[in-house]
Amino acid sequence: RDEFHAVCTKHGARPAEVCVQFSFLFDAIVSIALSSSKPSRVKGNIELANAKVPDALWTDLKAKGLIKVDIERAADGQMVAKLSKALPKIVFGTSSLGNLFVELDAATKQELVSEAVNGASGTPVFDSAGKYGAGLALESLGEALKALKVSPADVLISNKLGWKRAPLTTPEPTFEPGAWVNLKHDAVQDISYDGILECYEEGNALLGDYSSQIVSVHDPDEYLEAAKDEADLKKRKQDVLDAYRALIELRDAGKVQSVGVGAKDVTVIDFISDHVKLDWAMFACSITPYTHQPSTVLLLAKLKAQGVDVINSAVFNAGFLLGSDNFDYKKVARDTHPELFQWRDEFHAVCAKHGARPAEVCVQFSFLFDAIVSIALSSTSYRSR
């Protein structure tokens, strides 16, 4: 309140008239109800409704983080409020901080985060998950940001929820065998109302001084795929919707900015979007030069019509399109998957013919779809990427 009053004073505006005029920045609000205990204040209330607030006041309130919406001038000249777009063109993935396919030392991880922070055009946005290295990515991100003295107010963190840290009792983690290197913990899936809240709290604890402002349910498709029969599938679908009920409550309480979904199976994104008011959706391995089914393209159009922003991830089919032997997070070889390698050889030949790098072609392919507003990119090397 003290900061709010200071901004009002700076611009010669009374807090009361600022509060009243803030309502009218939203075009859906046509009237406000004002009460008074004194007849003499009725006239004053009418004056509040007709007061003029300087445009610069809204700019200052936004700059200081006192309001969470952007204030813009509409075509008719009126100032209007719009939800802030938290998603830049590039979201920095953090799977490499969780030792995906290769173990990085702490110094390299910190340098990766430093390059992302310094290279961001605005507020850097990091995409992470409790599943990434069984929480190691979240821990490493929080430690790196702290070491770099990045203020929590100057960064946005997305945490895909649904996996909790567990003791490692086997030679390697039980989730995604072969993908994660030298982990000290395992992870277990817990998608439910209570489970997703526990994942949220654990994620913030692993981040240390930081917290996630962008949240989603991670891998709901895998959770549904594990159903034993129709009755179990029905229960699991309800678990997913209950998890989203918890996330919507976090959003409504102002604890997080936005709620989304991340999945490899886009039919599950379709199902969830029919039941939940999403802010965004993250596709994985679904929109790439190699993979782009007509049904997926139609879903993009549906989400855009719903006002849902789409983030595209795994745009290289988990590195395969660039030369890796991992296709959609699974090992492949020329003798077992000759058609995949033949396609890649031809793709690289076309790229070379036109003087384009396969990586940039994959990235720009995403932006051919107007529903995709951002892509998530991860790296193991700050020098080359």
Side-chain angles (χ1 to χ4, degrees), residues 18-275:
V18 173
C19 292
V20 168
Q21 291 304 314
F22 184 77
S23 297
F24 293 123
L25 294 174
F26 300 86
D27 57 3
I29 297 177
V30 298
S31 182
I32 60 170
L34 294 177
S35 183
S36 178
S37 59
K38 295 182 179 180
S40 59
R41 291 184 179 175
V42 173
K43 181 180 179 181
N45 286 346
I46 296 173
E47 293 173 350
L48 293 177
N50 297 318
K52 301 295 183 182
V53 173
D55 295 352
L57 180 143
W58 305 121
T59 302
D60 276 2
L61 289 177
K62 176 64 177 180
K64 291 179 178 295
L66 298 177
I67 57 176
K68 298 179 180 180
V69 293
D70 292 326
I71 310 298
E72 303 174 358
R73 188 172 296 282
D76 62 2
Q78 297 297 312
M79 300 300 287
V80 296
K82 294 185 177 181
L83 284 176
S84 300
K85 289 290 185 182
L87 300 176
K89 199 169 187 180
I90 298 294
V91 172
F92 299 102
T94 62
S95 56
S96 60
L97 303 184
N99 295 357
L100 180 63
F101 300 130
V102 62
E103 182 179 9
L104 303 178
D105 58 44
T108 300
K109 291 180 180 181
Q110 181 174 319
E111 196 65 36
L112 283 169
V113 175
S114 176
E115 287 294 310
V117 170
N118 294 330
S121 57
T123 300
V125 179
F126 291 92
D127 173 61
S128 198
K131 188 179 185 181
Y132 292 171
L136 178 61
L138 290 165
E139 279 185 318
S140 299
L141 176 60
E143 291 168 359
L145 290 170
K146 184 175 182 179
L148 294 167
K149 296 181 171 56
V150 176
S151 168
D154 294 333
V155 65
L156 282 172
I157 298 172
S158 167
N159 189 6
K160 301 192 289 283
L161 308 168
W163 292 81
K164 296 190 299 187
R165 178 172 279 186
L168 182 63
T169 59
T170 52
E172 66 172 344
T174 56
F175 67 101
E176 296 178 337
W180 305 96
V181 179
N182 197 23
L183 299 188
K184 308 304 180 186
H185 303 88
D186 204 348
V188 293
Q189 196 170 42
D190 190 353
I191 294 181
S192 63
Y193 179 90
D194 291 330
I196 221 70
L197 291 177
E198 290 172 8
C199 291
Y200 170 73
E201 295 295 342
E202 179 181 88
N204 286 345
L206 292 171
L207 286 168
D209 293 344
Y210 304 85
S211 63
S212 54
Q213 289 295 314
I214 304 171
V215 294
S216 62
V217 175
H218 198 192
D219 294 336
D221 45 350
E222 293 182 8
Y223 184 69
L224 297 181
E225 280 180 14
K228 301 180 179 64
D229 51 38
E230 283 300 316
D232 189 28
L233 178 60
K234 182 178 180 180
K235 175 189 176 300
R236 286 171 178 261
K237 284 185 175 180
Q238 189 57 54
D239 288 341
V240 170
L241 296 180
D242 286 344
Y244 272 101
R245 179 164 56 87
L247 295 186
I248 297 302
E249 289 176 4
L250 289 176
R251 185 179 66 187
D252 291 347
K255 294 183 178 181
V256 300
Q257 286 187 9
S258 64
V259 172
V261 59
K264 301 181 188 73
D265 183 351
V266 296
T267 64
V268 175
I269 295 177
D270 194 10
F271 160 72
I272 292 171
S273 70
D274 284 339
H275 294 81

